[in-house]
Amino acid sequence: MRLHTINKNLVSLAQQQYLHCHLCEHHCGSNRAKGERGKCKASAEARVFRHRVEYGEEIELVPSHLFYLSGCDLRCAFCIAEEKAFNPRIGTILSTDFLEAALEQGISKGARNLQWVGGEPTIHLPAILEAMSGCANLPPVVWKSDFYGTPEAFQLLEQTVDVFVADFKFGNDVCAKRIAKVDSYVKILQRNLKQVSQYSDLIVRHLLLPGHEECCFRPIVDWISSTLPDVKFSIRNGYLPRWQAKQYEELSMPLVKGASESAKVYAENRGLNLIT
């Protein structure tokens, strides 16, 4: 990983999205600079509702300094961040001064990188690039995303991000629509993963959901095995029935005993490059 700076021209290019936003696949076209709000409800300001050095990420990333931005383009019923993920007006406004001061704290605690999480960072891409562009010593950048962004959005990140962490949540469009309220989910995720894998280090992460092994986990594993067999794959077993999960019968319960071990065996048998 490398220390790097952000090109001011790249920031200006990204900021054009505020006038006609197509950062995510909702393609709302909102003029965020004039107060129009799309499905994510985000403005031209990004807000951080929490930042801290964490050790629960994949081993190759920790300790990682996570910056949680409010606002999201998905509406996952089981979101552990709950209302903070969906209200882009919660938190401290992101600025270079705020970011530099926070990064100093993180470095003093041993952080190896700066990781943008959410909510969803991609909807705040221009503000994030602007804040980072003013930092004198920017650490390696990790971008944890739901990957529902547009190709144009990921292209803006091509020279900036060292590692992408993609949350591949659903293995079919029915579950994605029912639980996260988004359309054409699988096609969009697969397209973006193939794009990013060509130029960046990529970790595909899947959170095991109760009752979704056959419909979601296995189709995701099968596709990765056949299309991106060398990509790093991370199985997460920390599901909790939070937020609005209890509105869905299967999601109201924790994972059944042995679900994680069964998932690992299936992924290993399909030849995936498992990491922890």
Side-chain angles (χ1 to χ4, degrees):
M1 291 188 180
R2 63 193 187 279
L3 293 175
H4 41 181
T5 57
I6 307 301
N7 188 296
K8 295 289 186 179
N9 292 331
L10 181 65
V11 176
S12 297
L13 184 63
Q15 288 174 333
Q16 294 177 18
Q17 290 288 335
Y18 284 147
L19 305 178
H20 194 61
C21 189
H22 291 280
L23 290 171
C24 83
E25 281 293 340
H26 290 301
H27 287 290
C28 67
S30 296
N31 187 333
R32 292 162 60 172
K34 290 189 175 181
E36 295 178 11
R37 301 289 179 265
K39 289 191 175 183
C40 72
K41 308 299 182 185
S43 67
E45 293 178 341
R47 291 178 178 266
V48 177
F49 67 84
R50 180 172 66 239
H51 73 89
R52 63 191 182 196
V53 177
E54 298 192 12
Y55 295 81
E57 305 298 291
E58 286 74 15
I59 291 175
E60 64 186 74
L61 299 178
V62 297
S64 185
H65 194 167
L66 274 62
F67 286 76
Y68 293 81
L69 295 110
S70 56
C72 193
D73 50 356
L74 269 61
R75 290 294 180 268
C76 300
F78 53 85
C79 183
I80 196 169
E82 300 183 329
E83 71 274 8
K84 294 183 179 68
F86 307 119
N87 185 352
R89 295 169 179 80
I90 293 176
T92 302
I93 294 175
L94 176 63
S95 66
T96 294
D97 288 343
F98 168 83
L99 181 58
E100 283 194 314
L103 287 174
E104 285 186 15
Q105 297 175 27
I107 291 171
S108 70
K109 296 177 181 179
R112 297 174 54 200
N113 53 64
L114 156 62
Q115 183 171 172
W116 296 105
V117 300
E120 171 55 37
T122 308
I123 62 173
H124 300 298
L125 189 158
I128 294 172
L129 290 178
E130 182 179 11
M132 292 197 300
S133 70
C135 294
N137 295 299
L138 191 66
V141 176
V142 180
W143 197 270
K144 179 181 171 296
S145 171
D146 60 31
F147 261 58
Y148 200 68
T150 60
E152 295 78 11
F154 286 108
Q155 188 173 12
L156 289 168
L157 294 168
E158 182 173 339
Q159 301 301 318
T160 301
V161 175
D162 295 275
V163 181
F164 284 92
V165 179
D167 275 328
F168 202 158
K169 301 173 186 287
F170 309 103
N172 66 89
D173 290 341
V174 174
C175 289
K177 180 69 172 179
R178 173 174 168 255
I179 299 171
K181 314 305 180 192
V182 289
D183 297 315
S184 303
Y185 176 85
V186 173
K187 177 178 67 176
I188 291 166
L189 265 285
Q190 291 176 348
R191 178 202 67 200
N192 291 340
L193 290 172
K194 287 190 286 187
Q195 176 183 339
V196 167
S197 68
Q198 295 176 16
Y199 58 76
S200 179
D201 194 3
L202 172 64
I203 297 172
V204 178
R205 178 188 290 178
H206 177 74
L207 174 65
L208 296 174
L209 299 175
H212 286 262
E213 179 180 0
E214 296 290 338
C215 57
C216 289
F217 171 73
R218 291 194 175 190
I220 289 172
V221 169
D222 292 345
W223 180 80
I224 292 175
S225 175
S226 63
T227 310
L228 298 173
D230 296 324
V231 76
K232 299 171 185 176
F233 189 67
S234 175
I235 299 173
R236 313 299 284 184
N237 61 3
Y239 175 80
L240 295 171
R242 297 278 292 275
W243 189 225
Q244 300 171 344
K246 292 185 179 180
Q247 297 179 9
Y248 301 81
E249 182 178 357
E250 80 280 11
L251 297 179
S252 66
M253 304 295 291
L255 288 173
V256 298
K257 185 177 180 180
S260 180
E261 292 75 12
S262 174
K264 182 179 179 181
V265 169
Y266 186 83
E268 287 176 339
N269 289 339
R270 295 291 286 151
L272 264 62
N273 178 17
L274 293 181
I275 64 171
T276 57

